[in-house]
Amino acid sequence: MKDDIIVTKDLSKTYFLGKIKVPALKPTSISIKRGDYIAIVGPSGSGKSTFMNLLGCLDPPTTGNLLIEGTDVSKLNENQLARIRREKIGFIFQKYNLIPTLNARDNIALAMSFSGKKLKMRIDRAENLLDLVGLSNRMNHKPSELSGGEQQRVAIARALSNEPKIILADEPTGNVDTKAGDKIMSILEDINSKGETIIVVTHDPDIAKRASRNLHIHDGEVTEADY
Amino acid sequence: MAIISLMGIGEGMQQAITGELSSLSDTIVLSSGEITANAFGGGGFEHADGEEYLTERDISDIQRINGVKDISTVLFSYGIVTFNGKSNSVSLVGIDENNMESIFGIGVLGLEKGEFIKEGKQNTCVIGYNVAYEYFDTDIRLGNRIDLNGRSFAVVGIYKKQGAGMSTETDDNIHITPRDFEKITGQSKSSSAIIRIYDVTKADSIADEIEQAVNENHGTDDFANAITMSSIIESIQQILSIVQVVLLSIASIALVVASIGIMNTMLTSVMERTREIGIMKAIGATNKDVLLIFIMEGVLISIIGGAIGIALGVLGSRGLSTVLTGSFGGGGLTPVITSYSIMLGLAVALIVGMLSSLYPARKAAKMSPIEAVRYE
């Protein structure tokens, strides 16, 4: 039996617009198993990104608890959260979010620099990861010299650089064409087949269908969905 | 840059002035009898008692004192100067032609025109500023002949105007060689001497020794009076350090402006890179990581700026002093850039860079990753 890698207990997030409460995520209790391939689906404004930010330890919850590999992260301070993000979570954003002034290899190496690895090791690993996503010939290209699909593959390599347990992908194919999107998804699935937990936020039903488990979000409410 | 050039000029000024003064300060003025600080002075001198002259024995005793480089006696008397048929009373100073230049030719003293008396040259004189331009209806020029006590002398040099106050005032004096002095006054004994020493710092103790030796020879306590220049130099150095403080305050104002500039640059950079900061935080950079990145950047900017500033400062202070000495005249003021001021400049740049990037860096570090990533 696989263990739970993520457990939420009544996890919620409420934003305040002036004095008006906006419940972005209603109390949610779910558990995600190690090695799961999960798609979070929902229309825009439904609370997908809020849920994603909470799972990714980017945003502290208003109430409830979030356990990542058994550690309750809802009470951690900013620096401890940063360490969790660095060690356990790899992010892939819709807009790639590469550092524009660094080339592909250095973007990946930078992510590893925060964990204090030696430069030589970082460069070596960055090159291996670029090879994994099929971009070893684009190593010295700046993000602006890469296509959207290529940039997203660099972002995947970067997300993998610190050997995270969980990959969080927020609309990873949202800005690329179908063919490039397919390539990105197959890389992610390949990683998943090696035991990595993948959580993909999407509004594309075709992508959602490829996942082993779907979570629907509507008006801040998370429900289990089956196709 | 401001710091380096101002410090350079300040240091240069201090060295130029003390350099000129220290050539004075290695002299001790010895006078006998009642003559005190005004021994050299124009006109204030009167010698009542013939027995109060320095003797040969005094001179040789002084020469034997440790640290004494050389000694030359100075003769004083009143004389009558006649030019174009008009006469005036004047202070005559007889001094060895070699010492004349080394004592009166330096720094704030010195000649306005002409040259000092050449060795062995007879019947020539160097006259004070007032003698040349005030005493007679027509100005005395170089090469003019004047009569001193009825004997004709050629004017070879005219001193710059000194004004009152300096103990080596020359304005109302006429300087001639001791030989000529003896010829026209009949006096060969001197009551004063100028003693030069090797080590300026020992001036006071040597002065004491000289007084003691001369007093012993004459069997009294208060025959001799040896005066060093060091007290004058001390007060001048004090004034100079005030000037340097003023220069440094100007530099620190420039510094404040510069640090605001760095802060502004860094703040702009933080704003521009909000997204980048968010990404770095999202992929695991702690607040400290971000803080360090931005402080390092600020320090780097300021060190590069500091290095360029030092280079410009060295060139700038050179250029400035050349222009200034060109337009104001006077002895060359060479800016002195010490390794100390370069180190200080760099250290200040470093500290300013660090301090002024601290606030922007904190701002960057405090940024929330989601807001930063969302920021377009």
Side-chain angles (χ1 to χ4, degrees), chain B residues 243-317:
Chain B
V243 173
Q244 271 202 316
V245 167
V246 171
L247 284 179
L248 273 181
S249 337
I250 296 170
S252 11
I253 294 168
L255 210 62
V256 170
V257 175
S259 64
I260 291 172
I262 291 178
M263 202 182 288
N264 196 37
T265 309
M266 293 303 293
L267 275 175
T268 317
S269 158
V270 167
M271 291 301 284
E272 274 173 358
R273 290 157 62 190
T274 303
R275 190 183 185 79
E276 219 172 284
I277 295 162
I279 297 164
M280 288 197 283
K281 292 189 85 170
I283 61 177
T286 58
N287 287 0
K288 207 174 105 191
D289 290 329
V290 176
L291 193 77
L292 280 179
I293 288 172
F294 277 87
I295 288 180
M296 285 295 287
E297 212 168 281
V299 168
L300 209 68
I301 290 175
S302 60
I303 285 183
I304 293 171
I308 295 171
I310 286 168
L312 285 178
V314 171
L315 293 175
S317 57

Side-chain angles (χ1 to χ4, degrees), chain B residues 60-73:
Chain B
S60 61
D61 280 355
I62 291 168
Q63 260 162 347
R64 273 200 294 275
I65 291 173
N66 216 358
V68 170
K69 201 199 264 168
D70 54 37
I71 173 167
S72 60
T73 52

Side-chain angles (χ1 to χ4, degrees), chain B residues 90-298:
Chain B
V90 73
S91 297
L92 290 174
V93 177
I95 184 165
D96 192 86
E97 51 265 44
N98 295 320
N99 292 330
M100 200 184 284
E101 178 156 10
S102 61
I103 292 164
F104 296 99
I106 43 173
V108 288
L109 307 169
L111 293 179
E112 186 199 49
K113 280 180 190 155
E115 55 187 4
F116 285 99
I117 298 169
K118 288 211 175 69
E119 201 174 345
K121 194 99 170 152
Q122 287 190 29
N123 296 336
T124 53
C125 63
V126 179
I127 62 176
Y129 189 90
N130 290 350
V131 179
Y133 300 112
E134 310 275 333
Y135 279 28
F136 300 100
D137 297 338
T138 45
D139 292 347
I140 300 176
R141 301 214 172 143
L142 286 184
N144 282 161
R145 297 197 77 85
I146 54 174
D147 286 351
L148 296 176
N149 288 1
R151 193 182 283 258
S152 174
F153 279 78
V155 175
V156 294
I158 299 169
Y159 279 114
K160 286 193 276 194
K161 186 162 182 66
Q162 242 83 80
M166 292 298 288
S167 58
T168 45
E169 187 182 298
T170 54
D171 288 352
D172 297 288
N173 292 0
I174 292 180
H175 289 188
I176 53 180
T177 63
R179 224 170 340 179
D180 287 338
F181 189 92
E182 197 181 338
K183 266 190 274 182
I184 60 173
T185 63
Q187 178 192 332
S188 63
K189 289 176 176 175
S190 62
S191 55
S192 295
I194 291 172
I195 297 130
R196 290 196 298 157
I197 56 174
Y198 289 109
D199 186 354
V200 182
T201 57
K202 295 200 181 105
D204 284 327
S205 66
I206 292 174
D208 286 345
E209 269 187 76
I210 292 170
E211 277 187 25
Q212 225 172 359
V214 177
N215 283 343
E216 256 172 47
N217 288 345
H218 293 265
T220 63
D221 286 349
D222 54 359
F223 177 81
N225 198 343
I227 299 158
T228 64
M229 299 288 182
S230 53
S231 56
I232 300 171
I233 288 175
E234 263 167 41
S235 57
I236 289 177
Q237 268 177 335
Q238 235 161 3
I239 295 167
L240 287 183
S241 51
I242 293 170
V243 173
Q244 271 202 316
V245 167
V246 171
L247 284 179
L248 273 181
S249 337
I250 296 170
S252 11
I253 294 168
L255 210 62
V256 170
V257 175
S259 64
I260 291 172
I262 291 178
M263 202 182 288
N264 196 37
T265 309
M266 293 303 293
L267 275 175
T268 317
S269 158
V270 167
M271 291 301 284
E272 274 173 358
R273 290 157 62 190
T274 303
R275 190 183 185 79
E276 219 172 284
I277 295 162
I279 297 164
M280 288 197 283
K281 292 189 85 170
I283 61 177
T286 58
N287 287 0
K288 207 174 105 191
D289 290 329
V290 176
L291 193 77
L292 280 179
I293 288 172
F294 277 87
I295 288 180
M296 285 295 287
E297 212 168 281

Side-chain angles (χ1 to χ4, degrees), chain A residues 15 53 58-59 78-79 82-83 85-86 91 93 95 97-101 110-111 114 158 162, chain B residues 275-276 279-289 293 365-370 373-374 376:
Chain A
Y15 291 113
N53 289 339
L58 288 171
D59 212 7
E78 266 190 69
N79 282 332
R83 187 177 311 132
R85 289 199 292 269
R86 190 172 69 210
F91 283 93
F93 302 92
K95 299 226 170 115
N97 282 346
L98 299 174
I99 309 280
T101 48
L110 174 75
F114 303 124
R158 182 180 66 184
N162 285 321
Chain B
R275 190 183 185 79
E276 219 172 284
I279 297 164
M280 288 197 283
K281 292 189 85 170
I283 61 177
T286 58
N287 287 0
K288 207 174 105 191
D289 290 329
I293 288 172
K366 286 256 162 74
M367 231 166 234
S368 142
I370 31 170
V373 171
R374 209 184 287 145
E376 297 289 327

Side-chain angles (χ1 to χ4, degrees), chain A residues 5 19 41 47 69 78 90 102 126 128 137 157 166 169 193 214 220 226:
Chain A
I5 193 162
K19 284 190 174 168
V41 208
E69 289 199 306
E78 266 190 69
L102 299 178
N128 287 340
N137 56 334
I166 305 155
S193 69
N214 276 5
D226 288 303

